[in-house]
Amino acid sequence: MTTIRQEDFIQSVADAFQFISYYHPADYIRDLWAAYQREESPAARDAMAQILVNSRMSAEGHRPICQDTGISIAFIKVGMDVRWDTKMSLAELVNEGVRRAYTDKDNPLRASMLADPDGKRVSTGDNTPAVTHVELVPGDKVEVIVAAKGGGSENKSKFAMLLPSDSIVDWVLNIVPTMGADWCPPGMLSLGIGGSPEKAMLMAKWGMMEPLDIYELKARGPSNRAEELRLELFEKVNALGIGAQGLGGLSTVLDVKVNDYPTHAASKPVALLPNCAATRHAHFVLDGSGPASLDPPSLADWPRLELDLSTSRRVDLDRLTKADIASWKAGERLLLSGKLLTGRDAAHKRMVDMMSRGEQLPVDLTNRFIYYTGPVDAVRDEVVGPAGPTTSSRMDKFVEPVLSRTGLIGMVGKSERGPMAVESIKKHGAVYCIAVGGAAYLVSKSIRASRVLAFEDLGMEAIREFEVRDMPVIVAVDSTGDAVHKTGPAQWRARIGKIPVAVV
Ligand code: SF4
């Protein structure tokens, strides 16, 4: 009989969440590097280069890969011959580990969890509670998988009850283009097929933790329906041409996972979950001999890459007018320097509420750019912690009121804008740029100073003013309304030529 001590379990969980905040799994880096070398789309290649460079910097600096350090998830298999030296429940033990990891002094992680999700939505302060799944299995060990899933990719989770005769391939190929780039590709898709609705979802989540092995599968050939589906979907999803960050290109997914389970004769439940560029999971086993120790990957696993910024246009944010930005074209690469405001969901809502009450805003937005971000807290000599872009479409409904009433001329975020937002950008001669989702530590190195200007009570959502130097962004919607997330994937889908391009 093995005895697991409370402190060993808690410390192992805490160490694992710290570990995954700055180490990508080595298989993700290996396959992303291979995809980078194959990629022919310059924009997608550039985005992948930023993700790779960011990943290495995070591994070296022990700071988060992405500012969204995720919802904490744990899958635990408990051997039936295990005894516990604790009075706490397993969920409480995991929560204590999460609390310790997210409030670590040397590498604090962002607390993204909010209580009262349809009410006050108040931060729990330490990213607890985790979502813990437990299974009792034969044996005398405890196997733990922890994962941190960002909101951008979790929000794109899909579930359907298909008819038994429906095609899962058709369903996936219809649904993936509607997910846009909010889930920060290139990543992975994981499907759970069969069982009941909740079983399908859990299988899909579980599949994300499996090693990337699509090329091994290709080489040895499929041995069952799930493996056939993996290969077919891998080829067809990549043929959609969505590409890294939705910019159009050859690699949208680095692997597709399929797990299945028997189901009811009348049903075909299917769950689809994306895993983003910030793929984060770790596995460990406790056998009663003490806390788990996770082997850090070797830095030799990361390619030595330099970013090529030679073709980017340098922009002085402090002297910009609408006339200047009118010449920018969708797809163009820029290096931003100067003063950049920040604000995201809560700040936008508050600004729009103030304007509708006739109140003056605390910050003059005339001829300014705003960056949608919620940074991680700074440590040591950092100006700001990792500060990548958040999903811009959540701010779409604020674009018209803000552009029409404040003089703001530009926005920076990640992934595509909806039609209403694009229309407003065109109407007001503004622009929308993207920074690379999953390159948060790299972006933070462009930020030379930071101060809170307003709404300090909103914490990471406060309005800040960053002083940036050569911050790399891409024009995603130009002042004529041309949108790279529309044109890029359409061009690459046609170029790959395996799936007919829908005429719209
Ligand atoms: S890479 Fe993108 S989807 Fe993933 S956690 Fe970061 S911002 Fe969210």
Side-chain angles (χ1 to χ4, degrees):
M1 179 82 60
T2 299
T3 302
I4 305 293
R5 293 191 316 129
Q6 172 178 306
E7 178 57 21
D8 292 347
F9 186 89
I10 292 172
Q11 194 55 48
S12 303
V13 169
D15 290 346
F17 276 109
Q18 274 287 311
F19 187 92
I20 62 175
S21 75
Y22 45 76
Y23 287 137
H24 263 125
D27 57 357
Y28 178 80
I29 294 302
R30 179 198 65 207
D31 285 12
L32 182 60
W33 172 231
Y36 167 85
Q37 290 171 295
R38 273 196 312 274
E39 187 55 72
E40 294 171 25
S41 153
R45 230 174 118 81
D46 186 48
M48 285 193 267
Q50 288 194 42
I51 295 168
L52 284 163
V53 170
N54 179 75
S55 176
R56 188 185 176 101
M57 288 169 63
S58 294
E60 284 171 344
H62 286 196
R63 292 292 277 141
I65 295 163
C66 187
Q67 79 289 342
D68 183 349
T69 47
I71 183 170
S72 307
I73 294 160
F75 282 95
I76 307 175
K77 286 189 180 174
V78 181
M80 287 168 177
D81 295 329
V82 166
R83 282 192 57 235
W84 292 88
D85 181 13
T86 177
K87 297 259 181 301
M88 294 167 81
S89 71
L90 260 183
E92 287 169 338
L93 290 170
V94 172
N95 288 345
E96 194 48 41
V98 168
R99 189 171 289 123
R100 215 177 264 185
Y102 279 70
T103 56
D104 185 288
K105 294 269 179 304
D106 289 328
N107 181 34
L109 308 179
R110 202 183 78 184
S112 303
M113 292 296 277
L114 307 179
D116 196 8
D118 192 35
K120 295 197 177 103
R121 295 181 65 83
V122 191
S123 172
T124 61
D126 53 18
N127 218 49
T128 61
V131 177
T132 299
H133 307 281
V134 182
E135 193 184 342
L136 210 53
V137 297
D140 61 356
K141 295 189 172 50
V142 176
E143 274 181 58
V144 182
I145 297 182
V146 301
K149 280 297 308 291
S153 56
E154 284 291 82
N155 290 352
K156 296 296 157 183
S157 308
K158 306 288 176 196
F159 173 79
M161 265 299 182
L162 299 184
L163 298 175
S165 57
D166 286 346
S167 157
I168 286 181
V169 172
D170 289 352
W171 179 74
V172 172
L173 293 181
N174 280 330
I175 221 151
V176 171
T178 70
M179 288 160 39
D182 290 352
W183 60 283
C184 292
M188 187 160 108
L189 294 181
S190 179
L191 280 94
I193 302 170
S196 53
E198 80 281 7
K199 176 74 182 173
M201 276 295 194
L202 266 176
M203 285 190 291
K205 188 55 81 58
W206 178 262
M208 276 177 190
M209 325 293 171
E210 292 172 351
L212 302 186
D213 62 354
I214 197 84
Y215 292 103
E216 286 97 312
L217 173 59
K218 239 181 177 170
R220 74 168 155 82
S223 59
N224 55 39
R225 175 62 192 145
E227 291 183 348
E228 282 169 16
L229 210 45
R230 284 183 63 196
L231 291 176
E232 184 175 357
L233 285 172
F234 179 70
E235 187 180 339
K236 290 187 171 168
V237 169
N238 280 326
L240 291 169
I242 294 166
Q245 302 287 303
L247 294 166
L250 300 179
S251 283
T252 305
V253 287
L254 303 180
D255 203 337
V256 176
K257 298 293 181 188
V258 175
N259 282 280
D260 62 14
Y261 194 83
T263 194
H264 191 284
S267 315
K268 186 144 83 174
V270 53
L272 170 67
L273 305 187
N275 208 2
C276 63
T279 284
R280 291 168 292 206
H281 55 89
H283 308 216
F284 62 86
V285 177
L286 295 175
D287 59 7
S289 61
S293 90
L294 291 161
D295 284 337
S298 157
L299 283 178
D301 293 340
W302 277 264
R304 280 252 165 237
L305 251 184
E306 295 288 332
L307 296 179
D308 177 9
L309 305 174
S310 59
T311 57
S312 301
R313 182 201 292 242
R314 288 200 142 77
V315 168
D316 180 355
L317 287 170
D318 299 339
R319 290 193 176 73
L320 273 185
T321 64
K322 273 192 184 171
D324 299 318
I325 63 176
S327 66
W328 300 359
K329 294 276 168 269
E332 190 173 350
R333 284 182 277 176
L334 310 175
L335 292 172
L336 305 182
S337 295
K339 293 187 172 56
L340 176 64
L341 297 171
T342 75
R344 45 174 281 173
D345 310 54
H348 277 78
K349 175 156 184 355
R350 194 177 287 183
M351 285 195 293
V352 169
D353 286 349
M354 288 176 79
M355 288 191 291
S356 54
R357 291 194 299 266
E359 295 170 18
Q360 195 175 355
L361 295 182
V363 180
D364 181 2
L365 302 183
T366 311
N367 286 348
R368 304 295 299 266
F369 270 54
I370 197 160
Y371 179 30
Y372 303 146
T373 189
V376 176
D377 288 344
V379 291
R380 297 178 287 275
D381 57 348
E382 286 179 353
V383 165
V384 69
T390 196
T391 303
S392 301
S393 56
R394 295 199 313 272
M395 265 56 75
D396 278 1
K397 63 181 173 189
F398 303 120
V399 171
E400 178 57 28
V402 170
L403 289 185
S404 62
R405 293 158 80 175
T406 68
L408 187 85
I409 58 171
M411 294 146 282
V412 181
K414 82 170 166 80
S415 61
E416 59 282 315
R417 307 306 302 243
M420 255 172 38
V422 173
E423 204 39 53
S424 296
I425 289 167
K426 181 176 168 184
K427 180 170 142 198
H428 297 287
V431 290
Y432 165 63
C433 302
I434 57 160
V436 172
Y441 194 39
L442 173 72
V443 171
S444 72
K445 295 298 173 198
S446 319
I447 302 166
R448 303 305 167 94
S450 166
R451 64 186 178 121
V452 173
L453 290 190
F455 306 159
E456 191 159 9
D457 58 302
L458 296 181
M460 60 110 173
E461 297 209 37
I463 296 184
R464 291 178 169 76
E465 186 176 69
F466 285 166
E467 183 78 41
V468 295
R469 170 84 63 83
D470 290 342
M471 174 175 162
V473 300
I474 299 167
V475 181
V477 181
D478 66 25
S479 57
T480 69
D482 198 10
V484 76
H485 289 102
K486 216 167 172 184
T487 53
Q491 276 166 14
W492 282 89
R493 184 168 166 171
R495 199 160 151 183
I496 297 166
K498 290 197 177 154
I499 294 181
V501 180
V503 180
V504 284

